[in-house]
Amino acid sequence: MTAETTTETAAPAPTASPASAEAPPKKPAKARKTSFTQALNGALDLAMERYPEMFLIGEDIAEMGGDFGVTRKLLAKYGPERVRDTPLSEAAIVGTCVGAAMVGMRPVAEIMFADFLGECYDQIVNNAAKVHYMFDGQFTAPLVIRTACGGGFGGGPHHSQSVEGWFLNVPGIVIAAPSNPADAKGLLLASIASDDPVLFLEHKALYRARGEVPEGWHTVELGKAAVARAGADVTVVASMRMVPMALAAAAAADDDGISTEVIDLRTVKPYDAETVLASARKTGRVVVANEAPRTGGLGAELSARIHEECFAELAGPVVRVDGLDTPIPFSVPLEQEILPGEDDIAAAIRAAYRGGAR
Amino acid sequence: MTAETTTETAAPAPTASPASAEAPPKKPAKARKTSFTQALNGALDLAMERYPEMFLIGEDIAEMGGDFGVTRKLLAKYGPERVRDTPLSEAAIVGTCVGAAMVGMRPVAEIMFADFLGECYDQIVNNAAKVHYMFDGQFTAPLVIRTACGGGFGGGPHHSQSVEGWFLNVPGIVIAAPSNPADAKGLLLASIASDDPVLFLEHKALYRARGEVPEGWHTVELGKAAVARAGADVTVVASMRMVPMALAAAAAADDDGISTEVIDLRTVKPYDAETVLASARKTGRVVVANEAPRTGGLGAELSARIHEECFAELAGPVVRVDGLDTPIPFSVPLEQEILPGEDDIAAAIRAAYRGGAR
Amino acid sequence: MDTPTLRGLYRDMWLIRAFEQGLEREFEQGNVPGMLHTGLGQEAVQAALAAHLEADDAFFPDHRCHGINALAQQRHAGDGERIMAELFGKATGVCSGKGGSLHSADPAVGNFGDNAVEGSYMATVLGVALAAKMRGEPKVACAIIGDGTVGRGEFHESLNMAAIWDLPVLYACVNNGYAISMPVGEGHASANIVDMARGYGFGCEQLDGNDVVEAHERVGAAVAHIRAGNGPRFLELKTWRWQGVFAGEFRPEAEVKYWREEHDPILMAADELQARGVSGDELEGIEAEMRELIEGWIDFAKASPAPDPAKATADVYVGWEVARR
Amino acid sequence: MDTPTLRGLYRDMWLIRAFEQGLEREFEQGNVPGMLHTGLGQEAVQAALAAHLEADDAFFPDHRCHGINALAQQRHAGDGERIMAELFGKATGVCSGKGGSLHSADPAVGNFGDNAVEGSYMATVLGVALAAKMRGEPKVACAIIGDGTVGRGEFHESLNMAAIWDLPVLYACVNNGYAISMPVGEGHASANIVDMARGYGFGCEQLDGNDVVEAHERVGAAVAHIRAGNGPRFLELKTWRWQGVFAGEFRPEAEVKYWREEHDPILMAADELQARGVSGDELEGIEAEMRELIEGWIDFAKASPAPDPAKATADVYVGWEVARR
Ligand SMILES: Cc1ncc(C[n+]2csc(CCOP(=O)(O)OP(=O)(O)O)c2C)c(N)n1
Ligand SMILES: Cc1ncc(C[n+]2csc(CCOP(=O)(O)OP(=O)(O)O)c2C)c(N)n1
Ligand SMILES: [Mg+2]
Ligand SMILES: [Mg+2]
């Protein structure tokens, strides 16, 4: 299976963050059109070259190149020790990563679908996220868990979920969530370089998105959002597939004379409160857009925080756009009912704009 | 091991909700002082009598009566078929419940510590919470997963967590979270009677709390909050151990001339927005108190919702009181650093009160 | 096995093959959403299981079980077309289109639905079996699990608990040699799954899952054993799936040739039937009849309406409504 | 085994027993927070393991492993008292009091810490072993797992992956007959855990974990086998724990008597040493010396300061600070 929807609209976010200290860019980066999948593949390739302690692990990632082709051709280049196929054992895959990371390896796991993270939830939450803290800093867990998330392709209830909400209340874990090929590369390289455990979310509807991707060792600092589009009246905070949707909705809002700023979070935990709050203060009207169910989702956290810190500057309440509070049905028209779309964001932008006149 | 802290301050919340339809109270309920543990034990006993399709399942629940004594003496009365010890197999325990519930049984599992829910996360999230929906209503999952949560007794990072945040973004699951013996009984009976899957959270620090508990078939409707204390100036929304703390903080605030209303959520998912919002509209100043880490916790959802719906009526932003964004350290003074206390709630009440003058 | 029984199984196998081939065609034409895993090549396993599972039993199909789902639906409820409609996401599907290929269920025919987090139902099946045992019902609860799915920890938890509680569980392990691209002997300590199952102390058997006569007989014996209250059984049915991975065929040519030409369950059964004097014409007639039946099901699925949009928010909870947009 | 080695093991066992008994006393007096699980009765298993594990190896202790933790700390770093201090939640503890009884670790002595979600480290150990193998280090990665812990699905995933990757893992299964209150024969398909481990095709052995001579020899052989690059080994060490459950003793009187009086690892070793001519006085001297050592550790722990409050928010992330109140 492959992701159905391609998203050509994903404008590459300005990546202001510097390359990581140990990795100065070799030469002025030259950009070219690359798919999200290729960007990830290229990042893995570069990192495998740089870090001898890195290895890839997961189901069908070697010869087959992964269910979405992200690890394609890496077996041929790096061999079966470092590009390691596993049985269908998600707990053991992540456990292996934690153990290896504790002794200084830099494993990158692929969990085929994010929906399967329930199988290794304990390993992520009680092990990866805690070994650094509970053992008083004596261990680190520099591992990355890449996984394909999100709906919109008729995948049904166990192949379509947005899972960041499962982990938002878990201290110690980092969640990266790129919206375009350049960030996919930059965040993946930063995640691999990071000594914190990173859950790396790849929205399936973005795999075929194309954009300009800087060549060479291009990193996007974890925990830093990007202003994907500047605007003065309304702020939309989004991530992953919601970013191209927000950009389209923002373009539509131009016609109504509403100037919309779009913040691409890029890392959803820990998120970049500074950038989000600065924009909220500037516009006084905020929309937070997420694909996951509303209740207890990322939108709740962002909304709470924005109100907490910018209450006096807000012209009206933060407006949440989310999936409905349901599992994800198989049938495509039903799925469309429950997932948020461009129109929902556009409507929210208008509502936030009007909400100014409370 | 046993919970260290007893909480005698937990005033029984007025339980306004009617007994469930199929279960009229036999006679005018006579109240007596009962511990939280006894209240749960009594509820299980009553329900086992009423529902032949009910059984108990978990580690060491039979002869031993569970790690906290909640299932004590039930083996003798109902036998090993219906009070079923298991091996240390959390996924199979919950899976067994789901399967049995799908064919009309009414299983009640005990997962010894809530921290171990990671082991059966998939079973809860992808199975219990979804069978009703994804199979178009053909199955229900009338199961209850009881589990001991919360910190404050030096249990360390894997025996002290507040886990409601792990499940808030999961449609289909109900989360009950009593704060006192009467509600422990009433919510547990309602949970067992419910045809939805319920995660039933028992805060370890409350097990020894005593209070008046109505005799007989006393239920507390799921999804309905209680006004644990009426007040006019500030609303505190809390659950579990935060309720007695909030009541104590409210009493302290009286001395400053601040009249505080305390809402005991009782069910944290789906939560009683109506009661919460009504109180927020009335006072215009709200504190939400939770033991779990702040980011992505229940407080975020409540805060977002209250701002969303009561923005114009609020005198200032909703104030969150939470645990710090860390795992839970073993050492007691460190644990005290990171868990929220009565003083934190009291300070938040004053802040919310002052916040009125924005 | 008498000839009428074998003829019936032959028919069932053709029903499955026609179903999967029709579905494959429709999928390629873009009429079927989502993902597609077919049971082509594994018809004997499914027909043998379907032959012994009653409507009162419970089976948890895996992701290649459209065939057994359709047979159960057709035999016990007379409306196999509703399995097809489910795969098209239509209102007439067994789950009104909410489940799809990986979550088609109908408890009235014993179909408890796949769990696309493969193998989670190794735990769920315990509960169904336990309930039957507690109620004294002579029921069989069957988990159909691929060789790859055996990698999951629930394998151990499930077999162990079925053993200590002596539950009426049939583990039908469909060993088709691969988990997506992983050969069974590379993914597991042993290429013979029974080796890992034997430690739990109940009967384990390995058999040729493409020989419908053997499969029917051994499944029958296991089901009878379980139904009589004698506890769990583990069957490893060796077979092979036509479907490679989406990159195409990756398996050795000789292997492909063996399974598709020399050891195909339908061809094997046809040989046996012909040896017993059944004519080639009659066999062709069965195939044609099944293909026609399935085309009718496909037409039904296509002509069926999309689900009522209200279904999207229905049945999240029993006790609460979920807000619509 | 020569007498000096046995005398050394006897000493180690007394260190453990004195440690646990001292700790138990302090716990009862309310000086030790949280929960308490002791390794009393299991000293031979722990001494035998500790004797063969080097500082460069890695072991994942279970919840009764204060003893092996202390031995490793004392032998490889000379500061066993820091294990005691950790249990008191003090700044001088190996994890500055952040881990406590269930999460005491010090990688410098090969102690990778318990995971109080018992058995999760059956998966973690794979990664440590894999890293050693990839780097060509002659390292042993050891998971110490109780009989009850074997119920976890990770048991299957771990043994399977250790087998297919031929990893340097030592599974040391401490079968003390019970998981809290559940007898091993009721919680598992077999009371002999090796029966479930054998299916993975690597060497499995069951032995008397209270006979320190046998345990030392068999652990030594397994460790040598693994260190030489020959892949995983599974040892089931039969023993018995003094601690019942908190309701008190629930096990049959004859069983208690057998294990505490007739088959106690320290008494058995004392008998053997006396048969070899070591005097009762010398043996008593060893006991007294260890008790004194441990009282010193307890004094150290008690006198140590509480952790710096800043530790509460330190080390959540490497890359970020967490807000304090
Ligand atoms: C828990 C989980 N992990 C991974 C997958 C992805 N997946 C779907 S089918 C499959 C292979 C299963 O192999 P097997 O059980 O042998 O079935 P086969 O496809 O060969 O019939 C995998 C890995 C999944 N659905 N669930
Ligand atoms: C995943 C998980 N489930 C349950 C527990 C609670 N628990 C702690 S020790 C224990 C029994 C373990 O038995 P065993 O492995 O035999 O160790 P023993 O205490 O007998 O040494 C249980 C159930 C836990 N810590 N982790
Ligand atoms: Mg297979
Ligand atoms: Mg034990």
Side-chain angles (χ1 to χ4, degrees):
Chain A
M1 75 125 289
T2 49
E4 187 196 57
T5 321
T6 49
T7 310
E8 303 278 344
T9 49
T15 50
S17 53
S20 75
E22 78 281 24
K26 289 172 205 157
K27 45 180 161 172
K30 217 191 100 219
R32 57 189 176 104
K33 284 264 181 188
T34 308
S35 79
F36 194 93
T37 306
Q38 288 163 344
L40 293 167
N41 181 263
L44 291 175
D45 191 3
L46 277 176
M48 287 285 275
E49 267 180 14
R50 176 174 296 226
Y51 296 115
E53 72 272 25
M54 175 177 158
F55 64 92
L56 306 177
I57 182 169
E59 294 159 25
D60 307 287
I61 63 161
E63 184 65 39
M64 193 175 110
D67 215 27
F68 296 93
V70 174
T71 58
R72 221 172 267 161
K73 300 208 175 117
L74 298 172
L75 172 69
K77 188 159 172 193
Y78 299 102
E81 281 289 304
R82 294 185 64 202
V83 182
R84 189 170 282 268
D85 267 345
T86 70
L88 209 155
S89 306
E90 282 79 10
I93 292 169
V94 176
T96 298
C97 290
V98 176
M102 285 169 85
V103 292
M105 302 292 282
R106 212 164 270 281
V108 177
E110 175 172 305
I111 297 294
M112 202 179 281
F113 285 80
D115 310 69
F116 312 155
L117 290 172
E119 289 303 323
C120 42
Y121 193 82
D122 170 67
Q123 290 292 340
I124 299 172
V125 163
N126 285 324
N127 215 356
K130 293 190 175 59
V131 290
H132 186 56
Y133 182 87
M134 71 185 175
F135 298 128
D136 194 33
Q138 295 180 103
F139 295 102
T140 55
L143 60 91
V144 179
I145 301 169
R146 298 180 33 250
T147 192
C149 69
F153 71 103
H158 286 165
H159 284 79
S160 308
Q161 292 172 88
S162 291
V163 300
E164 59 276 14
W166 300 0
F167 298 94
L168 289 175
N169 203 221
V170 179
I173 194 86
V174 178
I175 308 177
S179 73
N180 62 65
D183 287 355
K185 177 176 184 176
L187 286 170
L188 185 51
L189 287 176
S191 297
I192 295 166
S194 163
D195 284 335
D196 286 308
V198 180
L199 179 62
F200 192 90
L201 300 178
E202 303 170 2
H203 196 295
K204 293 184 282 290
L206 296 173
Y207 275 129
R208 293 195 204 160
R210 290 188 168 269
E212 303 202 332
V213 175
E215 281 187 35
W217 192 267
H218 160 71
T219 62
V220 170
E221 196 180 343
L222 292 171
K224 294 277 181 243
V227 180
R229 182 189 204 269
D233 299 328
V234 176
T235 299
V236 182
V237 185
S239 62
M240 297 186 279
R241 193 191 187 186
M242 292 293 108
V243 175
M245 282 189 184
L247 290 169
D254 280 344
D255 300 341
D256 300 340
I258 308 174
S259 163
T260 307
E261 179 148 304
V262 177
I263 307 286
D264 180 351
L265 281 178
R266 306 201 291 196
T267 300
V268 303
K269 183 184 176 72
Y271 60 89
D272 183 353
E274 200 179 311
T275 301
V276 169
L277 297 174
S279 181
R281 286 196 183 99
K282 182 175 76 174
T283 62
R285 297 168 179 89
V286 188
V287 172
V288 291
N290 303 282
E291 184 175 316
R294 167 167 302 183
T295 302
L298 176 61
E301 169 60 30
L302 295 169
S303 169
R305 183 75 176 270
I306 293 165
H307 286 113
E308 231 156 64
E309 309 222 13
C310 313
F311 190 79
E313 290 114 311
L314 292 179
V318 174
V319 179
R320 285 191 279 176
V321 177
D322 309 88
L324 297 185
D325 280 321
T326 76
I328 303 194
F330 166 74
S331 182
V332 172
L334 296 186
E335 187 181 17
Q336 282 166 354
E337 280 289 309
I338 72 111
L339 293 182
E342 206 178 295
D343 290 353
D344 299 305
I345 303 176
I349 291 171
R350 286 191 295 270
Y353 187 69
R354 281 194 312 270
R358 78 183 156 117
Chain B
M1 73 125 288
T2 48
E4 187 195 56
T5 320
T6 49
T7 309
E8 304 277 346
T9 49
T15 49
S17 53
S20 76
E22 78 280 23
K26 289 173 208 154
K27 44 181 161 174
K30 216 192 98 215
R32 55 190 178 105
K33 284 263 181 189
T34 309
S35 79
F36 194 93
T37 306
Q38 288 163 343
L40 293 168
N41 180 261
L44 291 174
D45 191 1
L46 278 177
M48 287 284 276
E49 268 180 13
R50 176 175 297 229
Y51 296 114
E53 72 271 26
M54 175 177 158
F55 64 92
L56 305 176
I57 181 169
E59 294 159 26
D60 307 286
I61 62 160
E63 184 64 41
M64 194 175 111
D67 215 27
F68 296 94
V70 174
T71 57
R72 223 173 266 161
K73 300 205 175 124
L74 298 173
L75 172 68
K77 187 158 172 195
Y78 299 102
E81 280 289 303
R82 294 185 63 201
V83 183
R84 188 169 283 269
D85 267 346
T86 71
L88 211 154
S89 306
E90 282 79 10
I93 292 169
V94 177
T96 298
C97 290
V98 177
M102 285 168 83
V103 291
M105 302 291 283
R106 211 164 273 280
V108 177
E110 175 172 304
I111 297 295
M112 201 179 282
F113 285 81
D115 311 69
F116 312 155
L117 290 173
E119 289 304 323
C120 42
Y121 194 82
D122 169 67
Q123 290 292 342
I124 298 173
V125 164
N126 285 324
N127 215 357
K130 291 189 176 60
V131 290
H132 185 56
Y133 182 87
M134 72 185 174
F135 298 129
D136 194 32
Q138 295 180 103
F139 295 102
T140 55
L143 58 93
V144 178
I145 301 170
R146 298 179 34 249
T147 192
C149 68
F153 71 104
H158 287 166
H159 283 79
S160 308
Q161 293 173 84
S162 291
V163 300
E164 58 277 14
W166 299 0
F167 298 93
L168 289 176
N169 203 220
V170 178
I173 195 86
V174 178
I175 309 177
S179 73
N180 62 66
D183 286 355
K185 177 176 184 176
L187 286 170
L188 185 50
L189 287 177
S191 298
I192 295 166
S194 162
D195 283 335
D196 286 308
V198 180
L199 180 62
F200 191 91
L201 300 177
E202 302 170 4
H203 196 295
K204 294 185 283 289
L206 297 173
Y207 276 130
R208 293 194 205 161
R210 288 186 170 270
E212 304 201 332
V213 175
E215 282 187 34
W217 191 266
H218 159 72
T219 64
V220 170
E221 196 179 345
L222 291 170
K224 294 278 181 239
V227 180
R229 181 189 206 268
D233 300 329
V234 176
T235 300
V236 182
V237 186
S239 63
M240 296 186 279
R241 192 190 188 185
M242 292 293 108
V243 175
M245 283 190 183
L247 290 171
D254 280 344
D255 299 341
D256 299 341
I258 307 175
S259 163
T260 307
E261 179 148 305
V262 177
I263 306 287
D264 181 351
L265 280 178
R266 306 201 291 194
T267 300
V268 304
K269 183 182 175 75
Y271 60 88
D272 182 353
E274 201 179 309
T275 301
V276 169
L277 297 173
S279 180
R281 286 198 182 99
K282 180 175 78 174
T283 62
R285 298 168 178 87
V286 187
V287 173
V288 291
N290 303 280
E291 182 175 316
R294 167 167 302 184
T295 302
L298 175 61
E301 169 60 32
L302 294 170
S303 169
R305 183 74 176 270
I306 294 165
H307 287 112
E308 234 156 61
E309 308 220 14
C310 314
F311 190 78
E313 291 113 310
L314 292 178
V318 174
V319 179
R320 283 191 281 177
V321 177
D322 310 88
L324 297 184
D325 280 321
T326 76
I328 303 195
F330 167 73
S331 182
V332 172
L334 296 186
E335 188 182 18
Q336 282 166 354
E337 280 288 309
I338 71 112
L339 293 184
E342 204 178 294
D343 291 353
D344 298 305
I345 302 176
I349 291 171
R350 287 191 295 273
Y353 188 69
R354 282 195 311 272
R358 74 178 159 121
Chain C
M1 177 180 296
D2 59 28
T3 303
T5 304
L6 182 55
R7 194 193 280 111
L9 290 166
Y10 184 76
R11 208 182 138 88
D12 290 348
M13 291 197 290
W14 263 116
L15 185 149
I16 299 174
R17 185 157 295 177
F19 188 106
E20 298 290 38
Q21 288 181 330
L23 185 65
E24 218 165 43
R25 183 194 68 217
E26 296 297 321
F27 185 81
E28 272 153 30
Q29 290 171 8
N31 299 326
V32 180
M35 300 164 284
L36 187 71
H37 310 89
T38 71
L40 288 168
Q42 307 182 169
E43 294 86 356
V45 171
Q46 298 195 27
L49 287 165
H52 295 290
L53 293 170
E54 302 298 332
D56 283 345
D57 292 327
F59 67 92
F60 290 86
D62 79 357
H63 55 291
R64 298 193 185 279
C65 279
H66 309 138
I68 187 169
N69 295 350
L71 284 180
Q73 199 69 32
Q74 184 71 353
R75 178 164 308 156
H76 301 304
D79 55 5
E81 67 276 12
R82 294 183 61 219
I83 293 293
M84 188 64 83
E86 184 63 30
L87 302 179
F88 280 72
K90 295 301 183 70
T92 52
V94 287
C95 297
S96 304
K98 284 171 88 166
S101 163
L102 293 170
H103 311 275
S104 305
D106 185 348
V109 306
N111 179 356
F112 275 57
D114 185 19
N115 184 314
V117 187
E118 286 304 327
S120 296
Y121 51 83
M122 290 191 281
T124 329
V125 74
L126 297 170
V128 176
L130 178 62
K133 188 171 174 171
M134 287 175 74
R135 290 165 168 162
E137 294 166 352
K139 193 159 164 165
V140 174
C142 173
I144 304 175
I145 48 176
D147 53 284
T149 302
V150 160
R152 285 278 301 278
E154 280 80 351
F155 176 82
H156 169 62
E157 298 196 8
S158 181
L159 269 67
N160 189 47
M161 274 166 75
I164 60 174
W165 292 344
D166 210 27
L167 296 179
V169 179
L170 172 61
Y171 296 96
C173 177
V174 183
N175 184 348
N176 58 18
Y178 298 88
I180 304 188
S181 69
M182 170 73 96
V184 59
E186 286 177 29
H188 296 302
S190 170
N192 300 307
I193 305 295
V194 282
D195 289 344
M196 291 184 287
R198 284 215 175 88
Y200 301 90
F202 54 83
C204 298
E205 223 179 315
Q206 199 182 45
L207 53 111
D208 183 348
N210 277 17
D211 178 344
V212 79
V213 177
E214 180 181 345
H216 183 271
E217 186 205 309
R218 302 315 304 151
V219 168
V223 163
H225 169 99
I226 297 164
R227 209 185 292 288
N230 298 315
R233 276 289 173 271
F234 191 98
L235 294 183
E236 177 182 353
L237 300 115
K238 293 250 187 189
T239 180
W240 194 84
R241 56 172 149 86
W242 287 15
Q243 207 174 28
V245 297
F246 44 80
E249 189 52 80
F250 63 101
R251 295 161 297 188
E253 209 175 306
E255 180 180 320
V256 175
K257 191 171 147 49
Y258 170 75
W259 288 98
R260 291 191 70 139
E261 295 172 21
E262 293 158 41
H263 211 70
D264 176 75
I266 290 187
L267 295 180
M268 285 162 73
D271 286 350
E272 175 66 21
L273 282 166
Q274 284 189 305
R276 294 178 183 209
V278 179
S279 74
D281 276 1
E282 187 179 341
L283 296 180
E284 273 169 33
I286 291 175
E287 172 182 349
E289 192 195 333
M290 290 301 107
R291 291 208 186 273
E292 202 188 312
L293 177 74
I294 294 301
E295 291 307 319
W297 290 7
I298 290 173
D299 292 342
F300 169 80
K302 285 181 163 173
S304 291
D308 177 351
K311 279 279 181 193
T313 49
D315 296 323
V316 177
Y317 292 98
V318 176
W320 291 270
E321 294 293 318
V322 161
R324 299 183 60 180
R325 227 180 281 282
Chain D
M1 175 182 296
D2 59 28
T3 302
T5 304
L6 182 55
R7 195 192 281 109
L9 290 167
Y10 184 76
R11 207 183 139 88
D12 290 348
M13 291 196 290
W14 263 115
L15 185 147
I16 299 174
R17 185 158 295 180
F19 188 107
E20 298 288 38
Q21 288 182 330
L23 185 65
E24 218 165 41
R25 182 192 69 217
E26 296 297 322
F27 184 80
E28 273 154 29
Q29 291 172 8
N31 299 326
V32 179
M35 299 163 285
L36 187 72
H37 310 89
T38 71
L40 288 168
Q42 307 182 167
E43 295 86 355
V45 171
Q46 297 194 28
L49 287 165
H52 294 291
L53 293 170
E54 303 298 332
D56 284 345
D57 292 328
F59 67 91
F60 289 86
D62 79 358
H63 54 292
R64 300 194 181 278
C65 279
H66 309 137
I68 187 169
N69 294 350
L71 283 179
Q73 199 68 33
Q74 184 72 350
R75 177 164 306 155
H76 300 306
D79 55 5
E81 67 277 12
R82 294 184 61 220
I83 292 294
M84 189 65 83
E86 184 63 29
L87 302 181
F88 280 73
K90 295 303 183 70
T92 53
V94 288
C95 296
S96 303
K98 284 171 86 166
S101 162
L102 294 171
H103 311 275
S104 305
D106 185 348
V109 307
N111 179 355
F112 275 57
D114 184 19
N115 185 313
V117 187
E118 287 304 326
S120 295
Y121 50 83
M122 290 191 280
T124 330
V125 73
L126 296 170
V128 176
L130 178 62
K133 187 169 175 173
M134 287 175 74
R135 290 163 168 163
E137 295 165 352
K139 193 159 165 165
V140 175
C142 174
I144 305 175
I145 48 176
D147 54 284
T149 302
V150 160
R152 285 277 302 276
E154 280 80 350
F155 175 82
H156 169 63
E157 297 196 9
S158 180
L159 269 68
N160 189 47
M161 273 166 73
I164 60 175
W165 293 344
D166 211 28
L167 297 178
V169 178
L170 172 60
Y171 296 96
C173 177
V174 183
N175 184 350
N176 59 16
Y178 298 88
I180 306 187
S181 69
M182 169 73 96
V184 58
E186 286 177 29
H188 296 304
S190 170
N192 300 307
I193 305 295
V194 283
D195 289 343
M196 291 184 287
R198 283 215 176 91
Y200 301 90
F202 53 82
C204 298
E205 224 179 313
Q206 198 183 45
L207 53 112
D208 183 348
N210 277 17
D211 178 345
V212 79
V213 177
E214 180 182 346
H216 184 271
E217 186 206 308
R218 302 314 304 151
V219 169
V223 163
H225 170 98
I226 297 164
R227 208 185 293 291
N230 298 314
R233 276 290 173 271
F234 190 98
L235 294 183
E236 177 183 353
L237 300 115
K238 291 251 188 191
T239 181
W240 194 84
R241 55 172 151 85
W242 286 13
Q243 207 173 27
V245 297
F246 45 80
E249 188 53 79
F250 63 101
R251 295 161 296 188
E253 211 176 302
E255 180 180 320
V256 175
K257 191 170 147 52
Y258 171 75
W259 288 98
R260 290 191 72 139
E261 295 173 22
E262 292 157 42
H263 212 70
D264 177 77
I266 290 187
L267 295 180
M268 286 162 71
D271 286 350
E272 174 67 22
L273 282 166
Q274 284 189 304
R276 293 177 184 207
V278 179
S279 74
D281 276 0
E282 186 178 342
L283 295 181
E284 274 169 31
I286 291 175
E287 173 181 348
E289 192 195 332
M290 289 301 108
R291 291 209 187 272
E292 201 189 314
L293 177 74
I294 293 301
E295 291 307 319
W297 291 7
I298 290 173
D299 292 343
F300 169 81
K302 285 181 164 173
S304 291
D308 177 352
K311 279 279 181 195
T313 50
D315 296 323
V316 177
Y317 292 99
V318 176
W320 290 269
E321 294 294 317
V322 162
R324 300 181 60 177
R325 229 180 280 280

